[in-house]
Short mmCIF file of all heavy atoms in Angstrom, two decimals:
data_model
loop_
_atom_site.label_atom_id
_atom_site.label_comp_id
_atom_site.label_asym_id
_atom_site.label_seq_id
_atom_site.Cartn_x
_atom_site.Cartn_y
_atom_site.Cartn_z
N LEU A 438 -67.86 -6.83 7.13
CA LEU A 438 -66.88 -6.61 8.08
C LEU A 438 -66.49 -5.12 8.12
O LEU A 438 -66.40 -4.52 9.14
CB LEU A 438 -65.70 -7.45 7.98
CG LEU A 438 -64.53 -7.12 8.90
CD1 LEU A 438 -64.83 -7.58 10.32
CD2 LEU A 438 -63.22 -7.68 8.45
N SER A 439 -66.16 -4.64 6.92
CA SER A 439 -65.68 -3.24 6.82
C SER A 439 -66.61 -2.21 7.48
O SER A 439 -66.16 -1.21 7.93
CB SER A 439 -65.48 -2.85 5.38
OG SER A 439 -64.93 -3.84 4.61
N ALA A 440 -67.94 -2.59 7.31
CA ALA A 440 -68.81 -1.56 7.86
C ALA A 440 -69.33 -1.75 9.15
O ALA A 440 -69.99 -1.01 9.84
CB ALA A 440 -70.13 -1.55 6.89
N GLU A 441 -68.99 -2.96 9.78
CA GLU A 441 -69.52 -3.34 11.10
C GLU A 441 -68.81 -2.66 12.21
O GLU A 441 -67.55 -2.71 12.21
CB GLU A 441 -69.40 -4.94 11.21
CG GLU A 441 -70.02 -5.51 12.48
CD GLU A 441 -71.49 -5.07 12.66
OE1 GLU A 441 -72.32 -5.51 11.88
OE2 GLU A 441 -71.82 -4.41 13.62
N GLN A 442 -69.51 -2.09 13.16
CA GLN A 442 -68.85 -1.43 14.25
C GLN A 442 -68.99 -2.16 15.54
O GLN A 442 -68.23 -1.84 16.45
CB GLN A 442 -69.42 -0.03 14.43
CG GLN A 442 -69.20 0.89 13.19
CD GLN A 442 -69.58 2.20 13.47
OE1 GLN A 442 -68.91 2.89 14.17
NE2 GLN A 442 -70.74 2.65 12.91
N ASP A 443 -69.86 -3.05 15.60
CA ASP A 443 -70.04 -3.78 16.89
C ASP A 443 -68.98 -4.84 17.12
O ASP A 443 -68.62 -5.65 16.13
CB ASP A 443 -71.44 -4.53 16.79
CG ASP A 443 -71.61 -5.28 18.14
OD1 ASP A 443 -72.03 -4.65 19.03
OD2 ASP A 443 -71.48 -6.54 18.14
N GLY A 444 -68.21 -4.79 18.14
CA GLY A 444 -67.15 -5.59 18.45
C GLY A 444 -67.36 -7.03 18.30
O GLY A 444 -66.53 -7.84 17.56
N GLU A 445 -68.48 -7.57 18.97
CA GLU A 445 -68.64 -8.97 18.88
C GLU A 445 -69.09 -9.50 17.49
O GLU A 445 -68.52 -10.48 17.10
CB GLU A 445 -69.89 -9.31 19.78
CG GLU A 445 -69.54 -9.44 21.21
CD GLU A 445 -68.43 -10.39 21.55
OE1 GLU A 445 -68.61 -11.53 21.01
OE2 GLU A 445 -67.38 -10.05 22.14
N LYS A 446 -69.83 -8.67 16.76
CA LYS A 446 -70.16 -8.99 15.42
C LYS A 446 -68.94 -9.06 14.50
O LYS A 446 -68.80 -9.81 13.61
CB LYS A 446 -71.25 -8.12 14.85
CG LYS A 446 -72.61 -8.36 15.46
CD LYS A 446 -73.68 -7.46 14.84
CE LYS A 446 -75.01 -7.60 15.52
NZ LYS A 446 -75.82 -6.42 15.37
N ARG A 447 -68.01 -8.04 14.80
CA ARG A 447 -66.70 -8.04 14.04
C ARG A 447 -65.95 -9.37 14.18
O ARG A 447 -65.45 -10.00 13.22
CB ARG A 447 -65.97 -6.84 14.39
CG ARG A 447 -66.30 -5.49 13.82
CD ARG A 447 -65.36 -4.39 14.22
NE ARG A 447 -64.06 -4.56 13.61
CZ ARG A 447 -63.77 -4.26 12.34
NH1 ARG A 447 -64.70 -3.76 11.55
NH2 ARG A 447 -62.62 -4.42 11.90
N LEU A 448 -65.81 -9.76 15.44
CA LEU A 448 -65.14 -10.94 15.70
C LEU A 448 -65.70 -12.18 15.04
O LEU A 448 -64.99 -12.98 14.45
CB LEU A 448 -65.08 -11.25 17.22
CG LEU A 448 -64.23 -10.31 17.99
CD1 LEU A 448 -64.19 -10.65 19.54
CD2 LEU A 448 -62.78 -10.28 17.49
N ALA A 449 -67.09 -12.25 15.01
CA ALA A 449 -67.74 -13.34 14.31
C ALA A 449 -67.49 -13.33 12.81
O ALA A 449 -67.17 -14.37 12.26
CB ALA A 449 -69.15 -13.36 14.60
N LEU A 450 -67.51 -12.16 12.25
CA LEU A 450 -67.20 -12.06 10.84
C LEU A 450 -65.81 -12.31 10.53
O LEU A 450 -65.52 -13.00 9.52
CB LEU A 450 -67.47 -10.56 10.39
CG LEU A 450 -69.01 -10.22 10.15
CD1 LEU A 450 -69.19 -8.77 10.03
CD2 LEU A 450 -69.48 -10.92 8.92
N LEU A 451 -64.82 -11.95 11.37
CA LEU A 451 -63.44 -12.28 11.15
C LEU A 451 -63.24 -13.86 11.21
O LEU A 451 -62.49 -14.32 10.33
CB LEU A 451 -62.58 -11.67 12.24
CG LEU A 451 -62.31 -10.18 12.14
CD1 LEU A 451 -61.64 -9.58 13.35
CD2 LEU A 451 -61.27 -10.01 10.93
N ARG A 452 -63.93 -14.54 12.08
CA ARG A 452 -63.88 -15.85 12.11
C ARG A 452 -64.30 -16.56 10.86
O ARG A 452 -63.76 -17.47 10.25
CB ARG A 452 -64.62 -16.50 13.24
CG ARG A 452 -63.86 -16.37 14.56
CD ARG A 452 -64.60 -16.96 15.73
NE ARG A 452 -64.31 -16.27 16.93
CZ ARG A 452 -65.25 -15.54 17.59
NH1 ARG A 452 -66.38 -15.45 17.21
NH2 ARG A 452 -64.80 -14.90 18.63
N ARG A 453 -65.53 -16.01 10.32
CA ARG A 453 -66.13 -16.56 9.16
C ARG A 453 -65.17 -16.33 7.92
O ARG A 453 -65.06 -17.22 6.98
CB ARG A 453 -67.46 -16.04 8.84
CG ARG A 453 -68.56 -16.69 9.79
CD ARG A 453 -69.86 -16.05 9.64
NE ARG A 453 -70.38 -16.27 8.36
CZ ARG A 453 -71.46 -15.54 7.83
NH1 ARG A 453 -72.00 -14.63 8.62
NH2 ARG A 453 -71.95 -15.77 6.66
N LEU A 454 -64.53 -15.24 7.81
CA LEU A 454 -63.55 -14.89 6.76
C LEU A 454 -62.54 -15.95 6.69
O LEU A 454 -62.16 -16.46 5.70
CB LEU A 454 -63.12 -13.46 6.84
CG LEU A 454 -64.11 -12.46 6.38
CD1 LEU A 454 -63.70 -11.06 6.95
CD2 LEU A 454 -64.33 -12.37 4.93
N GLN A 455 -61.89 -16.04 7.96
CA GLN A 455 -60.80 -17.10 8.03
C GLN A 455 -61.15 -18.44 7.57
O GLN A 455 -60.53 -19.18 6.88
CB GLN A 455 -60.22 -17.15 9.45
CG GLN A 455 -59.62 -15.86 9.97
CD GLN A 455 -59.30 -16.08 11.44
OE1 GLN A 455 -58.59 -16.82 11.92
NE2 GLN A 455 -59.87 -15.05 12.26
N GLU A 456 -62.39 -18.83 7.99
CA GLU A 456 -62.83 -20.26 7.70
C GLU A 456 -63.14 -20.34 6.16
O GLU A 456 -62.84 -21.38 5.61
CB GLU A 456 -64.16 -20.51 8.49
CG GLU A 456 -63.85 -20.92 9.83
CD GLU A 456 -65.07 -20.78 10.83
OE1 GLU A 456 -66.14 -20.38 10.36
OE2 GLU A 456 -64.92 -20.82 12.08
N LYS A 457 -63.59 -19.27 5.66
CA LYS A 457 -63.87 -19.34 4.23
C LYS A 457 -62.73 -19.54 3.35
O LYS A 457 -62.59 -20.35 2.52
CB LYS A 457 -64.67 -18.04 3.73
CG LYS A 457 -64.87 -17.87 2.29
CD LYS A 457 -66.04 -18.70 1.85
CE LYS A 457 -66.30 -18.54 0.42
NZ LYS A 457 -66.80 -19.80 -0.27
N LEU A 458 -61.57 -18.81 3.72
CA LEU A 458 -60.33 -18.97 3.08
C LEU A 458 -59.74 -20.30 3.18
O LEU A 458 -59.12 -20.94 2.30
CB LEU A 458 -59.25 -17.88 3.49
CG LEU A 458 -59.63 -16.41 3.20
CD1 LEU A 458 -58.48 -15.47 3.69
CD2 LEU A 458 -59.78 -16.28 1.60
N ALA A 459 -59.83 -20.86 4.42
CA ALA A 459 -59.26 -22.22 4.68
C ALA A 459 -60.13 -23.24 3.91
O ALA A 459 -59.52 -24.03 3.25
CB ALA A 459 -59.37 -22.40 6.19
N ASP A 460 -61.46 -23.09 3.99
CA ASP A 460 -62.28 -24.08 3.32
C ASP A 460 -62.07 -24.13 1.75
O ASP A 460 -61.89 -25.13 1.25
CB ASP A 460 -63.75 -23.70 3.49
CG ASP A 460 -64.26 -24.22 4.85
OD1 ASP A 460 -63.46 -24.94 5.58
OD2 ASP A 460 -65.37 -23.75 5.27
N ASP A 461 -61.84 -22.97 1.24
CA ASP A 461 -61.68 -22.80 -0.22
C ASP A 461 -60.18 -23.18 -0.66
O ASP A 461 -60.00 -23.29 -1.79
CB ASP A 461 -61.93 -21.53 -0.72
CG ASP A 461 -63.52 -21.33 -0.81
OD1 ASP A 461 -64.31 -22.17 -0.63
OD2 ASP A 461 -63.86 -20.08 -1.18
N ALA A 462 -59.42 -23.50 0.39
CA ALA A 462 -57.94 -23.72 0.27
C ALA A 462 -57.43 -22.81 -0.90
O ALA A 462 -56.76 -23.19 -1.82
CB ALA A 462 -57.80 -25.20 -0.26
N VAL A 463 -57.66 -21.47 -0.68
CA VAL A 463 -57.28 -20.52 -1.65
C VAL A 463 -55.71 -20.54 -1.88
O VAL A 463 -55.19 -20.60 -3.02
CB VAL A 463 -57.63 -19.09 -1.24
CG1 VAL A 463 -57.25 -17.99 -2.19
CG2 VAL A 463 -59.11 -19.02 -0.88
#
Side-chain angles (χ1 to χ4, degrees):
Chain A
L438 172 77
S439 319
E441 183 57 63
Q442 297 190 72
D443 179 80
E445 278 308 309
K446 286 184 187 153
R447 282 184 65 81
L448 290 181
L450 281 165
L451 281 167
R452 278 183 215 113
R453 283 176 63 196
L454 285 162
Q455 294 171 58
E456 280 158 6
K457 175 74 181 148
L458 293 180
D460 282 348
D461 284 354
V463 182

